[in-house]
Amino acid sequence: MNAEGPVLRDIHLPPDPAWWPPAPGWWILVVAVLLLGWWALRRWRSRQGRRRWRSGVFAELDRLVAADAAAPDPVRLAGGISLLLRRASLLIDRRAAALSGEAWLAFLDRHGGGGFADGPGRVLLDAPFRRSAEIDTAVLVGLARDWLDRALPKERPDA
């Protein structure tokens, strides 16, 4: 000891912690971010597919209308619209495939707002099976387009 006091040594700090391996909290955060990113990517891709699907249904209706404009055949158009509505209705209820007659028209009215059981959509009952029929194709196409817009979800449910 000297007169000024004890001789002290410098403080030795421990080395800085290594960056690897990270603490458990960082692992949990990385896993959570990866899961969230995977979920968001899957949801985004699903929505894109649903949008393409919905636009494909309307494109098929437009194709039917264009084919009728090129070679007018109201019976063929009614048959195509009937088939399109039947295929689209399977997304609403799988049992729709078994419906026929008045039950089919009631189903369409229930899920699309009306106009089938007691309106111009009634021609879907027998027009596809006739050789010729007087059909107001513009009204039928408008009715089908409205039904598809109302009845089909903006996003296709996963089947």
Side-chain angles (χ1 to χ4, degrees), residues 64-85:
L64 288 171
V65 171
D68 185 62
D73 185 1
V75 173
R76 186 183 64 206
L77 178 65
I81 288 175
S82 180
L83 183 62
L84 179 65
L85 293 178

Side-chain angles (χ1 to χ4, degrees), residues 50-70:
R50 290 172 185 168
R51 286 188 187 118
R52 279 193 306 271
W53 171 85
R54 184 173 167 84
S55 64
V57 169
F58 283 100
E60 186 171 344
L61 180 61
D62 293 339
R63 185 186 56 76
L64 288 171
V65 171
D68 185 62

Side-chain angles (χ1 to χ4, degrees), residues 20-72:
W20 193 261
W26 286 109
W27 286 109
I28 292 170
L29 181 65
V30 165
V31 168
V33 165
L34 287 175
L35 286 174
L36 183 64
W38 173 79
W39 175 80
L41 178 66
R42 186 172 169 182
R43 187 164 168 91
W44 177 78
R45 290 187 66 184
S46 177
R47 283 181 186 239
Q48 292 300 327
R50 290 172 185 168
R51 286 188 187 118
R52 279 193 306 271
W53 171 85
R54 184 173 167 84
S55 64
V57 169
F58 283 100
E60 186 171 344
L61 180 61
D62 293 339
R63 185 186 56 76
L64 288 171
V65 171
D68 185 62

Side-chain angles (χ1 to χ4, degrees), residues 1-8:
M1 248 204 244
N2 63 23
E4 298 172 3
V7 176
L8 300 176

